[in-house]
Amino acid sequence: MSNPKTEVLTPHNSQLIFIDQQPQMAFGVQSIDRQALKNNTVGLAKAAKIFNVPTIITTVETESFSGHTYPELLAVFPDAPLLERTSMNSWDDQKVRDALKKNGRNKIIVSGLWTEVCNTTFALSAMHDAGYEIYMVADASGGTSQAAHDYSMQRMIQAGVVPVTWQQVLLEWQRDWKNRDTYDAVMELVKEHSGAYGMGVDYAYTMVHKAPERVQHGPTLAPVAAPI
């Protein structure tokens, strides 16, 4: 019997859920730099938008504790409903279950806070109760300590969760650079969110291929030696 987890992620076999990407939850994160966390989360969202991957955003106790979802994330999906919950486990909310089922994809990619609570309970419950495959985006999730994140990732992996990174997901979806309908958008996303990789792409485009710089700027003034 073939293992479905050996099947590469594609835009057609996967869906994405963001769990509690809210400021008060992010304040408690100690396992990853929080600006990097937001960058990776928004980069993952933009990747899903490029490839038209069904995406769910669920929130917990927005008004009483957690605050509003990052505006940069909401800007990617301005029309998406926000599935508000009281439960720490997203699986315990029927709206979430219904949205996942409606999307009709068995591979669920997860980005959420905190790893050791909301991510772990959702992953275990979705696998146990409905047989979903879970792909946990480790660098678009965070825990209240490095140990909390690491041990909860280990627990999930032992249960069958597949650990991934946001850029890994992006490039699995792209798969082949001959796929020109998404190539330009992926390159723009890489330049904006992929750190050293993005800087390397900018360098190659402008210095090797002599493409114009991607932003306009003032004139470059030639060196003028000052008297010594």
Side-chain angles (χ1 to χ4, degrees):
M1 183 177 179
S2 63
N3 180 358
K5 294 175 185 175
T6 62
E7 182 184 13
V8 173
L9 294 170
T10 75
H12 308 292
N13 69 9
S14 52
Q15 59 177 306
L16 172 62
I17 185 169
F18 290 104
I19 299 175
D20 306 344
Q21 292 287 2
Q22 297 164 267
Q24 184 64 47
M25 303 303 295
F27 294 161
V29 169
Q30 298 293 323
S31 62
I32 182 175
D33 176 81
R34 282 164 282 191
Q35 189 59 43
L37 170 68
K38 180 188 276 191
N39 172 77
N40 299 345
T41 300
V42 175
L44 178 63
K46 291 179 179 178
K49 185 69 173 283
I50 290 169
F51 290 98
N52 295 312
V53 173
T55 299
I56 296 165
I57 301 174
T58 182
T59 53
V60 65
E61 297 292 340
T62 296
E63 296 292 341
S64 63
F65 179 76
S66 300
H68 297 284
T69 300
Y70 313 142
E72 297 89 345
L73 175 55
L74 296 179
V76 180
F77 302 107
D79 299 321
L82 305 181
L83 308 185
E84 180 76 358
R85 315 180 324 276
T86 60
S87 171
M88 289 179 280
N89 184 349
S90 300
W91 186 254
D92 291 343
D93 191 281
Q94 190 63 46
K95 298 188 304 300
V96 173
R97 296 190 193 188
D98 292 345
L100 292 167
K101 184 176 181 179
K102 182 179 179 181
N103 288 335
R105 315 283 179 86
N106 202 52
K107 298 180 186 292
I108 305 175
I109 299 162
V110 180
S111 163
L113 306 176
W114 295 321
T115 318
E116 68 270 28
V117 185
C118 304
N119 291 17
T120 299
T121 55
F122 169 78
L124 297 177
S125 296
M127 289 190 301
H128 180 271
D129 294 355
Y132 284 111
E133 299 168 40
I134 303 296
Y135 296 77
M136 189 63 57
V137 189
D139 61 350
S141 301
T144 55
S145 69
Q146 193 66 57
H149 176 78
D150 291 346
Y151 283 113
S152 55
M153 288 294 298
Q154 287 187 32
R155 180 185 179 193
M156 288 187 283
I157 292 166
Q158 290 172 0
V161 170
V162 180
V164 293
T165 63
W166 84 268
Q167 192 165 265
Q168 178 183 356
V169 173
L170 166 68
L171 297 179
E172 282 194 40
W173 283 339
Q174 175 64 28
R175 187 160 184 162
D176 194 322
W177 295 122
K178 74 180 180 182
N179 296 329
R180 305 304 295 186
D181 54 335
T182 53
Y183 178 90
D184 289 340
V186 168
M187 285 294 97
E188 288 304 309
L189 175 56
V190 164
K191 291 174 192 176
E192 184 178 1
H193 287 278
S194 289
Y197 177 28
M199 286 185 268
V201 170
D202 264 332
Y203 181 87
Y205 272 36
T206 57
M207 303 303 291
V208 178
H209 301 291
K210 303 304 179 183
E213 294 179 77
R214 61 188 174 103
V215 296
Q216 293 184 336
H217 55 77
T220 300
L221 305 181
V224 177
I228 299 176

